[in-house]
């Protein structure tokens, strides 16, 4: 039995198109077996497989590494195979999709998009520094110029709830550590920081736009509706 046939032909993984886990079928497999004389009781296999979603039929490339334990006759003990895999493109649930903000100034929109690109490409240090730059851009857009970033954030207290202001200081510390210590925060911390920034952008820029739009729609409808 060849090594490729020992791996599952159908497996459930997250589909970037279907936005959920679906069955994927292997239609092609290219691999290499490394028989290590120092470890005669196992084979190491590295390879690539093309997986097709059984739902939308979009393809995913799987890069895998497997260890095949062998019995005394050199036959593979199929029930004890160790298997690791990585998928290309990266699975969507590990990434953050760009949100659209109607009245976000172009410079802030550009920084926000760069932050997401850094996160989605696993560039933690650049992402953390970019998040701090986004906060600096927001306070600059609000024409808050006096003092350092800590004091500028405090100046937002009249515009924002206290818990958001407190979280902005945590983001500031995160950016400082990334810039001065070249230390990337944990990925879940970066995700939370981005979500806080998105909430901030929505609060400062989009809510006013949506509220104004609702008022315009209601006033227009009243003018079009004849009086009873």
């Amino acid at each position: 039995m060849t090594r490729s046939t020992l791996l599952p032909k159908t497996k459930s993984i997250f589909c970037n198109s279907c936005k959920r886990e679906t069955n994927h079928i292997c239609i092609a497999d290219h691999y290499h077996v490394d028989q290590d004389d120092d470890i005669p009781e196992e084979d190491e296999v590295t390879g690539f497989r093309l997986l097709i979603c059984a739902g939308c039929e979009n393809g995913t490339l799987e890069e895998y590494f497997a260890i095949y334990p062998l019995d005394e006759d050199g036959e593979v003990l199929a029930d004890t195979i160790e298997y690791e895999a990585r998928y290309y493109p990266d699975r969507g649930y590990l990434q953050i999709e760009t949100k659209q903000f109607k009245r976000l100034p172009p410079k802030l929109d550009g920084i926000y998009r760069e932050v997401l690109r850094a996160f989605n490409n696993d560039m933690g240090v650049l992402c953390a520094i970019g998040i701090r730059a986004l906060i600096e851009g927001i306070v600059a857009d609000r024409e808050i110029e006096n003092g350092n970033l800590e004091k500028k954030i405090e100046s937002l207290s009249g515009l924002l709830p206290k818990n958001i202001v407190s979280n902005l200081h945590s983001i500031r510390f995160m950016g400082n550590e990334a810039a001065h210590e070249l230390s990337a925060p944990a990925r879940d911390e970066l995700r939370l920081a981005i979500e806080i920034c998105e909430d901030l952008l929505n609060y400062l820029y989009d809510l006013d736009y949506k509220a104004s739009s609702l008022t315009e729609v209601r006033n227009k409808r009243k003018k079009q509706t004849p009086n009873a």
Side-chain angles (χ1 to χ4, degrees), residues 10 15 18 22-25 51-58:
T10 301
C15 175
C18 298
T22 62
N23 286 330
H24 284 64
I25 302 169
L51 305 177
I52 301 298
C53 175
C56 66
E57 297 187 349
N58 279 349

Side-chain angles (χ1 to χ4, degrees), residues 134-177:
L134 181 58
I135 300 300
E136 291 179 331
I138 291 171
V139 296
D141 182 61
R142 293 287 153 170
E143 298 181 350
I144 300 174
E145 300 178 353
N146 296 326
N148 55 22
L149 184 57
E150 179 181 4
K151 293 181 179 179
K152 291 177 181 178
I153 290 175
E154 284 298 324
S155 297
L156 291 172
S157 298
L159 299 173
L160 302 172
K162 291 183 179 180
N163 62 327
I164 293 181
V165 173
S166 176
N167 284 323
L168 291 180
H169 285 301
S170 297
I171 293 175
R172 176 175 59 85
F173 289 132
M174 180 186 298
N176 289 343
E177 291 173 0

Side-chain angles (χ1 to χ4, degrees), residues 44-116:
E44 294 183 355
V45 179
T46 56
F48 296 88
R49 302 201 303 167
L50 178 59
L51 305 177
I52 301 298
C53 175
C56 66
E57 297 187 349
N58 279 349
T60 296
L61 181 65
E62 177 188 59
E63 179 183 19
Y64 67 88
F65 173 76
I67 296 178
Y68 292 81
L70 308 175
D71 62 18
E72 294 179 355
D73 298 323
E75 296 295 326
V76 176
L77 300 172
D79 294 336
T80 57
I81 293 175
E82 298 181 26
Y83 176 76
E84 296 179 358
R86 181 171 181 178
Y87 303 100
Y88 303 93
D90 287 335
R91 300 299 83 193
Y93 70 87
L94 298 175
Q95 300 188 335
I96 297 177
E97 293 187 8
T98 305
K99 290 182 172 58
Q100 303 297 326
F101 299 98
K102 298 294 184 180
R103 289 189 174 176
L104 190 61
K107 287 186 177 180
L108 293 183
D109 184 66
I111 297 173
Y112 167 67
R113 292 174 183 274
E114 288 186 17
V115 166
L116 292 194

